[in-house]
């Protein structure tokens, strides 16, 4: 398969999986591994996230703009913005401190990715079947403490295969947020977190990028943007109706299939 087609496929995977709890990075690295696609420092997999970032910003632009213009006079808006900032901080600190280890060690272990996909799927499946009275049903009402704990959960997703949205959703469910608000807070955390990861990875690898890389990243970006728009617009209603069980089962199936394929076709 030519690299340009692989770039489009990976872009579609990024957009379709970034905002659901199945680990977009895990899927990208596994598919890239089995297709024999390698980018310098795994930069492609991070930089095409710009398409997904712009997709969610475009869908949520009205709400984001409302937050910004009401913040000077509305304490509730300021508190929600503070909650988002607090939720992002743990991933930023750990991500910067452990960046090289994550990219050169964890990203290079497809077995780890498959294992974390399965473990995360089992946890998500168990939590989705639990019955509890939610404490929060409105994402703007999360306490700062709740936001911090969810942010710590998000930091765990620096391990590929865990899933950023999956970790934040699990954290939200454990803190008795209802399914819809847990998923939506994951969206709000995604925007600054992914933008920061994109900017930092671009800074770290700018001297290693070439015009050929830019072309492939551009194709992946467009595919990620288009597919992510459709996902963001529909996933909250899907979660409200069906919960997280379909995603949990998908994680377990993909992780198990990946382990089987790795046993048959071990890394060279």
């Amino acid at each position: 398969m030519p690299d340009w087609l692989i770039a489009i496929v990976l872009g579609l995977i990024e957009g379709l999986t970034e905002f659901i709890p199945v680990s977009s990075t895990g899927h990208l690295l596994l598919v890239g591994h089995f297709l024999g696609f390698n980018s310098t420092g795994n930069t492609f997999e991070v930089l095409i996230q710009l398409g997904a970032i712009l997709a969610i910003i475009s869908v949520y632009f009205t709400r984001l703009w409302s937050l910004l213009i009401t913040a000077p006079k509305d304490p509730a808006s300021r508190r929600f913005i503070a909650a988002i900032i607090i939720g992002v901080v743990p991933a930023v600190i750990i991500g910067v401190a452990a960046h090289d280890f994550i990219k050169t060690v964890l990203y290079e272990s497809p077995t780890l990715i498959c294992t974390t996909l399965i473990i995360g799927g089992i946890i998500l499946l168990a939590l989705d079947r639990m019955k509890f009275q939610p404490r929060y049903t409105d994402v703007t009402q999360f306490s700062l403490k709740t936001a911090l704990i969810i942010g710590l959960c998000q930091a765990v997703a620096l391990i590929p295969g865990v899933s950023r949205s999956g970790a934040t959703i699990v954290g939200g469910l454990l803190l008795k947020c209802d399914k819809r608000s847990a998923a939506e807070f994951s969206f709000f955390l995604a925007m600054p977190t992914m933008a920061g990861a994109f900017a930092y990875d671009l800074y770290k690898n700018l001297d290693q990028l070439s015009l050929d890389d830019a072309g492939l990243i551009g194709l992946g970006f467009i595919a990620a943007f288009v597919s992510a728009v459709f996902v963001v617009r529909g996933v909250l209603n899907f979660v409200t109706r069906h919960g997280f069980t379909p995603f949990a089962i998908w994680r377990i199936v993909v992780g198990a299939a990946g382990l089987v394929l790795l046993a048959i076709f071990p890394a060279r």
Side-chain angles (χ1 to χ4, degrees):
M1 185 182 295
D3 282 350
W4 65 266
L5 183 56
I6 295 177
I8 293 174
V9 169
L10 293 179
L12 290 173
I13 292 173
E14 162 63 25
L16 292 172
T17 59
E18 181 60 55
F19 301 109
I20 59 177
V22 299
S23 180
S24 61
T25 301
H27 279 68
L28 288 174
L29 294 175
L30 284 177
V31 173
H33 172 80
F34 289 118
L35 292 179
F37 178 83
N38 295 297
S39 65
T40 304
N42 291 302
T43 302
F44 174 89
E45 290 81 357
V46 173
L47 296 188
I48 63 169
Q49 290 182 354
L50 179 61
I53 296 168
L54 294 181
I56 194 168
I57 290 175
S58 69
V59 173
Y60 272 77
F61 180 79
T62 301
R63 291 188 64 179
L64 293 172
W65 182 250
S66 177
L67 276 174
L68 290 176
I69 63 175
T70 59
K73 296 181 179 180
D74 184 5
S77 294
R78 291 198 298 271
R79 188 171 65 84
F80 183 51
I81 292 172
I84 296 172
I85 294 172
I86 289 172
V88 169
V89 168
V92 171
I93 294 174
I94 298 173
V96 170
H99 178 270
D100 292 342
F101 175 75
I102 293 168
K103 297 296 291 294
T104 60
V105 178
L106 299 184
Y107 272 41
E108 299 297 330
S109 176
T111 301
L112 171 66
I113 295 169
C114 292
T115 303
T116 53
L117 279 171
I118 294 171
I119 293 172
I122 293 171
I123 293 172
L124 194 61
L125 187 63
L127 284 175
D128 195 45
R129 296 185 175 184
M130 290 175 61
K131 303 297 181 182
F132 62 90
Q133 184 63 37
R135 179 187 305 168
Y136 299 106
T137 58
D138 183 347
V139 68
T140 64
Q141 299 302 310
F142 285 14
S143 70
L144 298 183
K145 179 180 178 181
T146 296
L148 176 59
I149 295 173
I150 293 175
L152 291 169
C153 292
Q154 178 177 244
V156 177
L158 291 168
I159 302 171
V162 170
S163 169
R164 187 204 55 77
S165 60
T168 54
I169 286 169
V170 166
L173 294 177
L174 288 172
L175 294 169
K176 296 187 177 180
C177 307
D178 77 332
K179 295 174 182 178
R180 187 182 183 94
S181 66
E184 190 168 28
F185 193 66
S186 174
F187 286 179
F188 280 102
L189 286 186
M191 288 179 261
T193 302
M194 292 170 61
F198 170 84
Y200 188 70
D201 210 75
L202 183 62
Y203 163 74
K204 293 282 286 186
N205 295 281
L206 190 60
D207 60 336
Q208 300 182 48
L209 295 177
S210 68
L211 291 178
D212 291 337
D213 293 326
L216 293 177
I217 291 169
L219 288 173
F221 160 82
I222 294 171
F225 176 85
V226 173
S227 54
V229 166
F230 285 101
V231 171
V232 172
R233 286 179 174 173
V235 71
L236 290 182
N237 289 332
F238 180 90
V239 165
T240 301
R241 292 194 304 269
H242 304 290
F244 299 110
T245 294
F247 304 124
I249 294 173
W250 175 260
R251 290 179 62 108
I252 294 169
V253 169
V254 170
L259 289 176
V260 171
L261 289 173
L262 287 171
I264 299 174
F265 306 105
R268 292 186 295 274

